[in-house]
Amino acid sequence: MENKIRCAWCEKDDLYRDYHDNEWGNPVYEDDKLFEFLVLETFQAGLSWYTILKKRHNFRNAFDQFDYKKIAQYNEDKVLELMQDAGIIRNGLKIKGTIANAIAFMKVQEEFGSFSKYIWNFTGGKPIENNVKKMSDIKSTTPLSDEISKDLKKRGFKFVGSTVVYAHMQATGMVNDHVAACWKRNP
């Protein structure tokens, strides 16, 4: 395993390598997992992904295993409780944004049958294969992430700027941004 060539960003430590090898860029079609990544990306806004990844277990526990039905019911007492949880990012706007996103997520499910159908429709249901030769070729936004961001905001989602949306697309395999030499490009 250690002899594999990977995208340079993940060589910080085993946590990053494991995430790269087993999750990043793998297509995700399950609503529960798509919501988990949406929560994590929401909290990542303005911070490093590594910070969020290290706290992922804490987020999972604090946010009821990312159960959007429960999160949609959170009240001010729960927000205050989360603001006291040192294991997560204690940002009131992001916590309230996560609650708003859970509500918006369920509305999208009602309209489209699933969030997966809605979000994957933007790519025709399959990953976009980018031709990434080196890390500097990877963009932080694209016209498609701009479009998705605009649509999500229109539907009531918070903290879903184009950069956050593109990171979500990468994490959930909507785009394949593994560099050409990476073993995940063509496993």
Side-chain angles (χ1 to χ4, degrees), residues 44-149:
Q44 188 268 329
L47 301 170
S48 77
W49 180 245
Y50 187 74
T51 298
I52 301 305
L53 204 53
K54 286 192 326 188
K55 294 177 177 277
R56 188 179 194 177
H57 179 74
N58 298 337
F59 276 104
R60 186 173 284 121
N61 289 334
F63 284 92
D64 289 298
Q65 311 304 309
F66 301 113
D67 183 335
Y68 48 86
K69 291 174 185 165
K70 287 183 180 178
I71 294 169
Q73 301 298 317
Y74 285 2
N75 59 24
E76 195 59 38
D77 288 340
K78 182 64 175 183
V79 171
L80 292 173
E81 176 188 322
L82 290 167
M83 288 294 293
Q84 301 302 313
D85 189 337
I88 65 169
I89 306 301
R90 295 179 287 184
N91 179 309
L93 291 176
K94 290 180 180 182
I95 292 168
K96 289 178 181 179
T98 297
I99 298 166
N101 288 351
I103 294 166
F105 190 88
M106 290 190 299
K107 287 180 182 174
V108 166
Q109 287 179 316
E110 288 173 21
E111 183 177 346
F112 293 88
S114 72
F115 185 82
S116 181
K117 286 180 187 173
Y118 159 77
I119 201 75
W120 279 96
N121 186 56
F122 286 98
T123 66
K126 59 185 179 185
I128 296 169
E129 297 291 331
N130 289 328
N131 187 16
V132 180
K133 302 251 187 273
K134 56 190 181 310
M135 293 303 298
S136 61
D137 292 340
I138 299 174
K139 309 291 185 227
S140 59
T141 66
T142 64
L144 182 56
S145 67
D146 294 345
E147 177 186 346
I148 295 171
S149 170

